[in-house]
Structures are given as structure tokens and as C-alpha cells.
DNA sequence: TGAAAAGTTTCAATATATGGAAACTATTTT
DNA sequence: AAAATAGTTTCCATATATTGAAACTTTTCA
């Protein structure tokens, strides 16, 4: 659907907007997100595109069919950490993880 | 085992060393890690402790038995994103995710 | 030290993530 | 427009993540 496609591109652009790499000095791209299942696929797709790979090529690097890659990028399922690591390792991207918590916030009901 | 226990405590201390919260001003703790399956359990345990919860209490918040929490903290298995989110949501902690990539680095073999 | 609380492990059931193969649709190229 | 390439979907099998219950071990504390 047309609308659907536009929505997705918006979200990819939002990713781009979050580039935090020091301009020129280091050659590092950095994307940071609130971890949501819905956005993980976009991350994979975005990085794959930067690597100029097709789904089939990425699949070969990992050892799976292109259909798997499609499924991952389209968030058709929940995903395990292992799968995430496998994909981004193939893309030579470093995956970080951070936890933020407000110290006082928590109440036991 | 004695050695094992010491190793684990070291790793928790390393977590602590990574506190990045602006001192005093905001009341925010922040832990950042390379995403590794082995360290995720320590993250959960560490945040749970800061919330002064037992495994059983955390389990109640999520709706699972304390044995589940133990398993997650002890990294006995691979984990899905959904589970990670469920746990940290219960702990009122915000989970972020970041990808770093060197632009030039990638070669297609 | 002995009881209570907290955490771990095992066994087992169920749900679901991973994965391939192939047909299909969409996009790109000539 | 036709062919080639890229991406998606469906059907299905297999592996394994999630979970509970209960027994067990470790830690805490009176």
C-alpha cells in the first residue's frame, strides 16, 4: 500500500536524523533507539542498505535464505538476542545496549 | 564455585563503573554495554537489586514464577526481545539500543 | 545453630522462533 | 514491455524459548 510505504520511509529517515557520528573526524555512524520490536527490522534494513547488500547477499553471509532476512526486516516475529547478534556481526556493526533508570521512581505497590 | 562467584561480582562491579549519570543534577543511572548474551542477566540482576526487589517480587510484577527470573539472571538460555522488554518495563527502566558501524570497513568477499 | 527467606535446578508441557523451499509480487534494467 | 533482480509470503518442519511446579541449595537473621 502506498501509505504503508511512506510510513516506512519516514521511519527510516528518522533513523538517519539520529546520526551522531562526529562529522568528518571519525568515520563512524551511530544509530540509537528506544528498543522496540517494531523498529529493529528497520535498523537491520538500514544498515544492510549502507553496506550495499541485497537480502540474498546478507543471507549468504549469515547462512540463511533471503526469506529469513525479509522476515526479520519486516518484524514478522519476535527475535532472539542471538539472531540480532548474528545479523549485525555479519554487517560488521557493533551493537550496544543501555539501561536508563530514574533512581527514586520505583514504588512497590 | 568460589572462582565463579568472584567472576560474577567483578562483572557487576564493572557495570557500576559505567555509571554515566550526571552527578547530582539528574537522578539518572545509566548502564551501557556491548550487547552480549552473557551480560544481560547481570543487567537484570543489577537493576532488580537497585529496586530492592526479590526475584519473587519481580516475578509477581511480570506474572511469572521466581524460577523464571533466576533463569534469566543466570543466562541459562537465549532470550527474546519481548522478554527483555517485559522485564525492564516492570523495573521501570528504559532500554536503549545502539548500532555503531565504520563506514568504509565493509568488504564483500 | 536453626528457621525463614531467597535463589537455583530439574522435569515437563506448550508456544513460538528459526529456517528452507517455492511461489508470488514489486522493482529495476535493458 | 519483457527480462532480470530484489523482496515478500506461505506452508511446513524442527529447535528451542517460555513457563509452572516442586524439590533443592544457599543466604540471611533472630
Amino acid at each position: 500500500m502506498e501509505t504503508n510505504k511512506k510510513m516506512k520511509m519516514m521511519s527510516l529517515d528518522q533513523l538517519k536524523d539520529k546520526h551522531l557520528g562526529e562529522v568528518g573526524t571519525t568515520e563512524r555512524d551511530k544509530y540509537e533507539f528506544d528498543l522496540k520490536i517494531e523498529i529493529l527490522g528497520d535498523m537491520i534494513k538500514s544498515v544492510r542498505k549502507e553496506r550495499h547488500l541485497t537480502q540474498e547477499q546478507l543471507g549468504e553471509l549469515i547462512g540463511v535464505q533471503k526469506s529469513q532476512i525479509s522476515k526479520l526486516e519486516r518484524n514478522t516475529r519476535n527475535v532472539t538476542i542471538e539472531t540480532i547478534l548474528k545479523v549485525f556481526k555479519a554487517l560488521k556493526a557493533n551493537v550496544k545496549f543501555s539501561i536508563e533508570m530514574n533512581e527514586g521512581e520505583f514504588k512497590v505497590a
Side-chain angles (χ1 to χ4, degrees), chain A residues 11 21 24 32 36-37 39 52 64 77 85 88 98 101 106:
Chain A
S11 132
E32 181 173 321
K36 291 177 193 156
I37 295 177
I39 217 168
H52 302 293
V64 300
R77 294 174 183 283
L85 292 177
F88 286 108
S98 59
M101 54 183 284
F106 200 81

Side-chain angles (χ1 to χ4, degrees), chain A residues 40-61:
Chain A
L40 244 168
D42 289 331
M43 281 199 270
I44 296 172
K45 183 170 185 173
S46 175
V47 175
R48 175 175 63 82
K49 291 286 192 189
E50 289 208 38
R51 293 321 197 182
H52 302 293
L53 295 174
T54 63
Q55 292 182 341
E56 192 159 29
Q57 288 172 317
L58 177 54
E60 277 161 25
L61 288 175

Side-chain angles (χ1 to χ4, degrees), chain A residues 38-97:
Chain A
E38 317 93 64
I39 217 168
L40 244 168
D42 289 331
M43 281 199 270
I44 296 172
K45 183 170 185 173
S46 175
V47 175
R48 175 175 63 82
K49 291 286 192 189
E50 289 208 38
R51 293 321 197 182
H52 302 293
L53 295 174
T54 63
Q55 292 182 341
E56 192 159 29
Q57 288 172 317
L58 177 54
E60 277 161 25
L61 288 175
I62 299 172
V64 300
Q65 297 292 106
K66 60 182 182 173
S67 61
Q68 314 298 337
I69 306 297
S70 174
K71 286 167 193 165
L72 293 173
E73 292 186 357
R74 313 230 349 134
N75 307 300
T76 53
R77 294 174 183 283
N78 195 1
V79 185
T80 63
I81 296 291
E82 204 168 83
T83 299
I84 296 172
L85 292 177
K86 204 165 26 173
V87 170
F88 286 108
K89 183 177 182 185
L91 292 166
K92 302 209 178 179
N94 190 37
V95 182
K96 290 201 173 188
F97 202 82

